[in-house]
Amino acid sequence: MPAARLLAWYDRHARDLPWRSRPGQTPDPYRVWLSEVMLQQTTVAAVTPRFTAWVARWPDVASLAAASDEDIMAAWAGLGYYARARNLVKAARAVVAEHNGRFPATEAALRDLPGLGAYTAAAVAAIAFGERAVVVDANVERVVARLFAITTPLPAARPAIREATDRITPDARAGDFAQAMMDLGSSICTVKKPQCLLCPLATDCDARAQGIAETLPAKAPKKKRPYRHGTVFWIERDGRVWLVRRPDKGMLGGMRALPTGPWEDDRPGLADAPGRGPWTMLNETVVHGFTHFELELALAKSKGEPDDSVAGEWWPIAELGTAGLPTLFARAADRLKGA
């Protein structure tokens, strides 16, 4: 059976990752959950050092629940998709307040926690608690699309891929099976040049038999993302720069940032500038890609005063790396502080 062969392969070749339990150890639901949230849209290589630093600071769900939103958002800076961090602390506080600090052990109960979607709940239920759950991330999606030669383009293929994954998920060791599928997709059934000769599922793979493995999963053509424009403002005084906190709702919500004006289809210039200036516009911009649009920010600099109506704080420029700025604003700050 495919599952038995895959698990035998996993027992020999499983990746050594800091959130995984060692043989004979009981998985820690907190570490499993945290890793799954961090790994959404982010690579293992990028997450590994951040995960290690995170659990050194907040080693369990109770310590995370007690942390301030400000500290959590600053610690998350650079990982992107900041709604994940906001939901992370909401879920931690719900576990402490509603479940006496213990994660619920079923997929259905985990779905009730803030921010835990179908994938994360299934992954935690299977890996941390051994519940049979169908876990489908991008690696599993690729392996299963090839295993069953599912040629329908994504995202329309996802129901068929999930149904096929359900068929091969075993009742026992469902968590190990899910992690084995992830490892297989990461190391052997890769996006380009899959190493089919090393694959424990090669004899079962319909796409390999048809010679189409590297073409799957097929993807629908991407729509061109719209382009928006804005201006980021740098107000400097006595070796400090004026930072604001972005609204909790919206892009980069709750994060410290440099002030910006509106993000619009046309260049807004100095619209909604946070001070009277005078402003100097730099002859360069910063471009950043979000999920649904590309943003180009012009750079404006002043040694004036912020408006009294603009809430914020003066931050030492020499210590700006500790402010937890999102990548977009960190890049803008690098350009502005030396100009």
Side-chain angles (χ1 to χ4, degrees):
M1 293 179 62
R5 285 197 300 279
L6 183 63
L7 286 167
W9 172 86
Y10 178 72
D11 289 339
R12 297 191 301 274
H13 300 290
R15 289 179 289 178
D16 184 12
L17 300 172
W19 46 85
R20 285 186 178 172
S21 59
R22 302 293 186 270
Q25 289 181 330
T26 300
D28 182 347
Y30 171 70
R31 295 169 75 93
V32 173
W33 163 69
L34 176 62
S35 68
E36 290 297 340
V37 175
M38 284 187 165
L39 286 164
Q40 292 167 20
Q41 306 294 327
T42 312
T43 65
V44 168
V47 165
T48 298
R50 301 296 296 273
F51 175 90
T52 301
W54 190 285
V55 295
R57 186 173 183 181
W58 297 299
D60 52 39
V61 71
S63 59
L64 181 60
S68 70
D69 290 9
E70 179 177 288
D71 285 347
I72 290 168
M73 297 306 290
W76 194 270
L79 282 171
Y81 299 92
Y82 293 96
R84 293 182 296 169
R86 294 193 293 273
N87 285 329
L88 198 73
V89 69
K90 289 178 184 176
R93 290 169 183 164
V95 169
V96 170
E98 300 169 17
H99 300 278
N100 297 316
R102 299 175 66 87
F103 279 86
T106 68
E107 183 179 2
L110 287 163
R111 282 295 301 271
D112 290 335
L113 293 175
L116 267 76
Y119 168 77
T120 305
V124 175
I127 298 169
F129 297 108
E131 181 177 274
R132 186 190 183 280
V134 181
V135 183
V136 184
D137 72 349
N139 280 316
V140 177
E141 199 169 67
R142 183 168 59 257
V143 171
V144 173
R146 291 171 175 175
L147 192 60
F148 292 92
I150 297 172
T151 57
T152 303
L154 294 172
R158 288 196 170 118
I161 289 173
R162 190 187 188 284
E163 190 276 332
T165 308
D166 191 2
R167 292 204 308 270
I168 62 173
T169 298
D171 293 331
R173 298 186 67 187
D176 285 346
F177 177 80
Q179 292 177 109
M181 291 285 278
M182 296 173 194
D183 283 9
L184 188 71
S186 173
S187 62
I188 289 180
C189 195
T190 49
V191 175
K192 296 180 179 179
K193 297 182 180 179
Q195 301 178 66
C196 297
L197 292 177
L198 300 178
C199 181
L201 304 183
T203 57
D204 304 284
C205 183
D206 291 342
R208 177 177 180 264
Q210 296 174 32
I212 59 172
E214 197 167 350
T215 70
L216 299 179
K219 296 181 180 179
K222 286 186 177 180
K223 295 181 180 179
K224 187 176 180 179
R225 289 185 293 185
Y227 214 81
R228 295 183 187 172
H229 301 271
T231 302
V232 63
F233 298 97
W234 176 279
I235 305 176
E236 180 178 336
R237 185 181 73 186
D238 299 328
R240 296 176 297 164
V241 64
W242 186 251
L243 299 182
V244 298
R245 188 171 299 282
R246 295 185 60 80
D248 288 336
K249 293 185 178 180
M251 300 298 297
L252 308 176
M255 302 293 292
R256 282 196 194 97
L258 296 168
T260 73
W263 297 355
E264 299 179 335
D265 293 339
D266 298 318
R267 292 178 173 84
L270 297 177
D272 293 345
R276 293 176 293 280
W279 295 99
T280 300
M281 299 292 293
L282 273 61
N283 191 27
E284 58 181 317
T285 62
V286 171
V287 178
H288 187 79
F290 289 99
T291 303
H292 300 297
F293 65 94
E294 295 276 345
L295 175 67
E296 181 181 39
L297 288 179
L299 308 175
K301 192 168 185 177
S302 170
K303 292 190 176 180
E305 291 289 324
D307 289 338
D308 293 339
S309 61
V310 180
E313 59 187 319
W314 291 105
W315 199 276
I317 295 172
E319 300 174 15
L320 203 51
T322 66
L325 298 180
T327 301
L328 164 64
F329 291 102
R331 289 173 56 214
D334 285 342
R335 305 275 181 88
L336 284 156
K337 67 184 179 184

